[in-house]
Amino acid sequence: MRLYQKIIVGILSVLAICIVGITIYGIRALDDVNSAINNISQTVNRKTKKRDVAVSIEDREPFSILLLGIDTGALGRTETGRSDSMMLVTVNPKKKQSTIVSLDRDILTDMLDGSTFDKLNHAYAYGGVELSMDAVEKLLDVPVDHYVTINMQGMRDLIDAVGGIEVDNKIDFTLEKVHVPKGKITLNGKTGLAYARMRYDDPEGDIGRQRRQREVVEKIVKKVLSMDGVSNYQKILKAVEKNSKTDLTWDDMLDIGKNYYPAFDNIQQEQLEGIGEQVNGIYYQVLGINELLTIQNTLKEQLELPTSSELAIDPQFEYSMNGFIGNQFYDDRLGNEQGQALSENQIIDSEEAYIEAPYTEEIYQ
């Protein structure tokens, strides 16, 4: 099939196509694509507070997109759920670079109601996509321009749709009766979902899981880019349209497919990681000032925005009863060891702490 017959379509979904415009081959696929776009399209009732003018994908401006993996859709889960996986992706076509920053779901985060600090992944349960975008935007101090969600079943279907992905698994484990052996193996949807979800057998816990999730994203993207033929893309479309939502328009997707393609060849991976603390008996990740500032500036550089010399802290939270800066950060400017020691001496266990934690901690793999 000749090049001029190809139709460029961007289908962005949270653990894969969310970073790349898919090339659909053949006019016959157009109806399928239109149907998929209609099914996954869902606008949000919010505007970024970090831009005076909305970003223009048509003009090839760098943009950000929040990827949310929702813990429903498979394993019998049908409730609203929480954002079990969160990544912020920035795409810069001029620099031909993309950045994926994994966000720990347990990060102690301002829920933006003036009184509640909770786990970052609880924002989705509190206020859906809109609050998730606002909370991440406040935390990272960069505009969150768009979003994509995908549930667990969508990830499983998507891996199957691309014919599986190859990984070098470092840990032999069994998750919910699904065994994933150690070594170089090809994962199907069932084993691939387990590979992306496992954390308790990983010495690095959720950090190790997030590393594997980023790996799955890249592997699927590469398979998508290498695929040819209408039949393959029809499988991908079916996987996406049943389990994903995005506020990107049809025109946005076309422009991403045509103009942003080179940026997906150079993907920089980052991990926003704090230290574990017990807050009123519940586990949280508390971020260090330097760690967060470094990630913020990395994203700002990718979005071609001015960087900052110090972390901006909301004045109303600058001082708190628990001794943490801004209720949610610890001072790591003295270095990792001293910062760690400082934090350990300030474990939050006071009823006076400016934190509400309405959820009972549940075990999610």
Side-chain angles (χ1 to χ4, degrees), residues 43 66 91 153 195 200 206 309:
T43 59
L66 180 62
V91 187
Q153 186 62 46
Y195 182 77
Y200 290 120
D206 206 41
S309 59

Side-chain angles (χ1 to χ4, degrees), residues 127-349:
V129 169
E130 288 87 351
L131 183 56
S132 295
M133 296 174 76
D134 287 342
V136 171
E137 181 169 287
K138 172 95 180 271
L139 179 70
L140 298 181
D141 197 33
V142 294
V144 176
D145 298 309
H146 295 287
Y147 84 92
V148 177
T149 68
I150 190 170
N151 60 31
M152 290 192 295
Q153 186 62 46
M155 181 179 178
R156 179 172 175 169
D157 291 350
L158 197 52
I159 294 173
D160 281 334
V162 300
I165 57 175
E166 295 182 359
V167 301
D168 187 0
N169 182 30
K170 306 299 184 184
I171 304 169
D172 184 282
F173 69 91
T174 299
L175 176 63
E176 296 170 349
K177 299 182 180 179
V178 178
H179 179 236
V180 182
K182 184 177 180 180
K184 294 183 179 180
I185 55 175
T186 298
L187 302 173
N188 59 21
K190 187 176 182 180
T191 55
L193 180 61
Y195 182 77
R197 292 181 58 239
M198 184 274 289
R199 62 170 170 153
Y200 290 120
D201 288 330
D202 192 323
E204 294 184 288
D206 206 41
I207 300 303
R209 176 171 70 167
Q210 290 168 42
R211 183 178 295 108
R212 281 180 273 109
Q213 289 170 349
R214 293 195 303 272
E215 179 187 10
V216 169
V217 169
E218 282 204 75
K219 297 284 186 179
I220 297 178
V221 168
K222 290 179 179 178
K223 287 294 291 284
V224 168
L225 292 176
S226 66
M227 291 173 70
D228 193 359
V230 174
S231 60
N232 287 329
Y233 282 106
Q234 286 175 331
K235 294 178 183 178
I236 294 173
L237 288 173
K238 289 179 181 179
V240 170
E241 70 176 317
K242 292 187 299 183
N243 303 291
S244 304
K245 295 295 181 183
T246 182
D247 65 334
L248 287 161
T249 66
W250 167 260
D251 288 340
D252 288 337
M253 295 180 190
L254 288 172
D255 288 332
I256 290 170
K258 290 187 294 185
N259 299 323
Y260 289 75
Y261 188 96
F264 305 123
D265 287 333
N266 182 11
I267 301 176
Q268 177 182 350
Q269 297 190 19
E270 300 287 350
Q271 172 75 56
L272 182 57
E273 179 182 1
I275 58 174
E277 296 289 357
Q278 290 291 321
V279 181
N280 295 333
I282 297 175
Y283 175 84
Y284 290 86
Q285 278 272 318
V286 178
L287 300 178
I289 293 175
N290 272 351
E291 171 72 13
L292 179 56
L293 181 61
T294 298
I295 292 293
Q296 287 181 351
N297 284 333
T298 296
L299 294 170
K300 288 175 182 178
E301 289 173 355
Q302 287 297 310
L303 294 173
E304 299 181 3
L305 299 172
T307 59
S308 303
S309 59
E310 60 182 24
L311 191 70
I313 297 176
D314 193 324
Q316 65 176 322
F317 303 137
E318 186 172 359
Y319 301 102
S320 62
M321 298 297 295
N322 58 45
F324 280 72
I325 298 175
N327 280 319
Q328 61 182 129
F329 311 121
Y330 76 94
D331 192 346
D332 61 348
R333 290 171 295 189
L334 299 176
N336 291 336
E337 293 184 2
Q338 289 174 291
Q340 175 82 25
L342 173 64
S343 179
E344 288 174 348
N345 290 330
Q346 296 176 332
I347 293 177
I348 308 171
D349 57 9

Side-chain angles (χ1 to χ4, degrees), residues 14-15 67-71 82-87 103 105 121 196 209-210 213:
V14 74
L15 291 177
L67 316 181
L68 299 172
I70 310 304
D71 59 2
R82 303 175 187 175
S83 49
D84 203 44
S85 302
M86 289 160 286
M87 303 179 192
L103 306 172
R105 67 183 201 160
N121 74 328
R209 176 171 70 167
Q210 290 168 42
Q213 289 170 349

